[in-house]
Amino acid sequence: MIVNSSHGGEATRPRRRSRVRRAAALATAGLLAAAGILSLAGTAEAATTLGASAAAKGRYFGTAVAAGHLGESAYASTLDTEFTMVTPENEMKWDAVEASRNSFSFGAADQIVSHAQGKGMKLRGHTLVWHSQLPGWVGGLGATDLRSAMNNHINQVMAHYKGKIYAWDVVNEAFQDGSSGARRSSPFQDKLGDGFIEEAFRTARAADSGAKLCYNDYNTDGQNAKSNAVYAMVKDFKQRGVPIDCVGFQSHFNSNSPVPSDYQANLQRFADLGVDVQVTELDIEGSGSAQAASYTKVVNACLAVTRCNGITVWGIPDKYSWRSSGTPLLFDDNYGKKPAYDAVLAALGGTGGGGDGGTGGACTATYTRTNTWGDRFNGQVTITAGSAAISTWTATVTVTSPQKVVTTWNGTPSWDGSGNVMTMKPNGNGSLAAGASTSFGFTVMTNGNTSAPVIGACAAS
């Protein structure tokens, strides 16, 4: 989480802490049918917004919201149009609602809740017990008082919002980074011991039996010492009947900490324990097709895991991100839809994305499998200009490891570091009149995996 109106995860920007975030441009797993034609421009019935497209897949698509921005018309209209889930960025954190012991102030959080409910959106409560954004009085308590204060805080906050919250981040970021798998030092851990997490969940269940109860953390997106420690805790809780319903994966990525190759497998292993999994604070630093490919990978991973309820991005326009210099979100500073937006919409099966990616007209990319042999298949992507002529185009093709593209034609390919994401540009066939089409092709060695490639949104200028 963040502290600031920009991030919402744990502490606002300034305090976002030393978490090593991963974000960045990576490959994406193919979820589409292995044969036939896949039109990423969608059909007449396809949804045209993130929330509606996710709903068609049985999921939500949410965002972190800052109460202070709701008065900005572009902010509110984008929120209302595109999203179906809201997480208050900082307004429900301990320092915001209980700055003085047993004196609660819910004004800013209530503003977000009221807005979301008025638009029929679900709400995520964030967060009840967390080491950061704690008022000073909490850390000064002895063990007995601290236990009482923790349980009172949970009870009072959950009672105030009872019946309004879809899921609560009951405990947030309780494990250390690095290779130890140890618990993080905090007033709760240091004075109450390992049992504080279980106690918090049991208290939360008694406070509101209707809300999902989640553990939320960062740098747990792939299998590593930290995620293994969380996994062991969740497994133990499920075996002993401790009430935990879901695990949140914050998913902050960048070029130094990209989407891990085992992201989907990691989500699945938690789901196999009998809990829901949720992508809770997604943002991916970068731009263009690389950023779009990484977003696609995350969306495809969630769609591939039955118990992945949905995805929340950590903010709306880049300018309000807790790491705005990395341009990690789906909308630019002026609320323009970025290539990453188009890619997410396409991955969700929607249509009607941001369009051109440049100054010219829009284009669509449609995939067809043209030939199949025992160990390989040929694919063709048809690029079609929209209602205006275009001078060039770009499309991405992502295969699922261990597949490999071994031959291409009618285009100039380049590859990302994983070798799974191919960016195709024209080879003398970039200029298209309005409504005209061209195509490029490729051969994929299956290496035992026959799934169809994922075709990113077409970008044109």
Side-chain angles (χ1 to χ4, degrees):
M1 334 180 34
I2 298 165
V3 180
N4 238 357
S5 46
S6 11
H7 157 274
E10 291 77 55
T12 31
R13 286 181 206 169
R15 305 189 224 164
R16 179 72 161 155
R17 181 196 5 275
S18 64
R19 62 174 75 166
V20 183
R21 305 180 190 268
R22 335 172 196 219
L26 269 239
T28 73
L31 291 176
L32 305 170
I37 297 176
L38 302 171
S39 173
L40 297 186
T43 66
E45 295 77 27
T48 58
T49 66
L50 300 172
S53 299
K57 300 287 189 181
R59 276 124 177 121
Y60 63 78
F61 203 94
T63 187
V65 170
H69 297 318
L70 286 173
E72 182 181 338
S73 60
Y75 184 95
S77 64
T78 305
L79 167 64
D80 297 347
T81 300
E82 295 287 348
F83 299 99
T84 55
M85 168 73 79
V86 164
T87 301
E89 196 166 320
N90 294 290
E91 290 80 355
M92 284 186 181
K93 292 171 183 173
W94 198 315
D95 62 352
V97 298
E98 193 186 3
S100 300
R101 188 169 184 180
N102 208 32
S103 178
F104 290 85
S105 176
F106 296 107
D110 284 353
Q111 183 182 355
I112 294 174
V113 171
S114 177
H115 184 97
Q117 287 191 308
K119 301 299 180 179
M121 301 172 182
K122 291 182 178 180
L123 283 150
R124 183 182 197 85
H126 179 77
T127 176
L128 295 169
V129 181
W130 182 38
H131 70 276
S132 187
Q133 287 180 259
L134 277 176
W137 65 265
V138 179
L141 299 177
T144 300
D145 269 355
L146 180 62
R147 172 171 281 109
S148 175
M150 180 185 78
N151 289 324
N152 181 64
H153 181 81
I154 293 170
N155 282 320
Q156 295 296 325
V157 176
M158 292 187 72
H160 183 79
Y161 293 112
K162 188 171 183 178
K164 299 178 180 180
I165 303 295
Y166 165 79
W168 274 103
D169 290 328
V170 179
V171 176
N172 194 57
E173 300 179 1
F175 287 82
Q176 293 181 16
D177 290 323
S179 60
S180 69
R183 299 286 183 90
R184 178 194 296 276
S185 175
S186 71
F188 309 104
Q189 180 66 37
D190 299 346
K191 297 175 183 179
L192 304 181
D194 287 354
F196 89 88
I197 300 180
E198 176 176 342
E199 183 169 354
F201 273 86
R202 291 192 183 278
T203 300
R205 176 64 88 225
D208 186 352
S209 61
K212 291 181 182 290
L213 306 182
C214 307
Y215 176 78
N216 189 53
D217 216 325
Y218 67 94
N219 284 352
T220 54
D221 308 290
Q223 187 165 341
N224 54 40
K226 186 175 183 179
S227 66
N228 287 343
V230 175
Y231 180 88
M233 179 189 73
V234 175
K235 182 177 181 180
D236 172 62
F237 280 10
K238 294 300 291 183
Q239 289 175 340
R240 294 192 296 108
V242 179
I244 184 170
D245 303 308
C246 43
V247 177
F249 298 83
Q250 293 184 16
S251 300
H252 298 289
F253 300 120
N254 58 39
S255 58
N256 294 320
S257 188
V259 184
S261 59
D262 59 350
Y263 186 77
Q264 178 181 321
N266 190 52
L267 296 181
Q268 186 64 61
R269 70 167 178 153
F270 276 87
D272 290 343
L273 291 176
V275 293
D276 291 337
V277 294
Q278 299 163 357
V279 181
T280 55
E281 302 182 18
L282 177 64
D283 53 19
I284 304 177
E285 290 185 337
S287 62
S289 60
Q291 182 183 47
S294 292
Y295 265 104
T296 302
K297 183 173 186 178
V298 173
V299 174
N300 284 343
C302 181
L303 293 177
V305 177
T306 303
R307 295 199 68 154
C308 184
N309 304 138
I311 295 169
T312 294
V313 291
W314 205 250
I316 302 175
D318 284 333
K319 65 182 177 181
Y320 294 143
S321 168
W322 64 284
R323 47 182 188 171
S324 57
S325 62
T327 61
L329 298 174
L330 301 178
F331 296 87
D332 65 24
D333 290 354
N334 297 313
Y335 299 92
K337 297 171 181 177
K338 297 163 60 177
Y341 173 97
D342 295 340
V344 169
L345 189 66
L348 292 170
T351 184
D356 54 58
T359 58
C363 61
T364 58
T366 303
Y367 169 72
T368 308
R369 179 173 294 195
T370 56
N371 297 98
T372 301
W373 298 272
D375 60 349
R376 71 195 71 192
F377 61 85
N378 284 351
Q380 175 178 293
V381 174
T382 300
I383 304 295
T384 304
S387 58
I390 62 175
S391 58
T392 190
W393 50 264
T394 301
T396 59
V397 176
T398 301
V399 297
T400 306
S401 181
Q403 292 177 341
K404 288 296 177 186
V405 175
V406 293
T407 307
T408 67
W409 52 93
N410 294 344
T412 302
S414 61
W415 302 88
D416 77 333
S418 71
N420 296 326
V421 182
M422 176 178 70
T423 299
M424 186 66 81
K425 296 182 178 181
N427 182 11
N429 55 345
S431 181
L432 295 173
S437 298
T438 187
S439 64
F440 65 88
F442 50 90
T443 299
V444 177
M445 297 299 298
T446 63
N447 294 315
N449 187 329
T450 60
S451 61
V454 175
I455 313 303
C458 183
S461 61

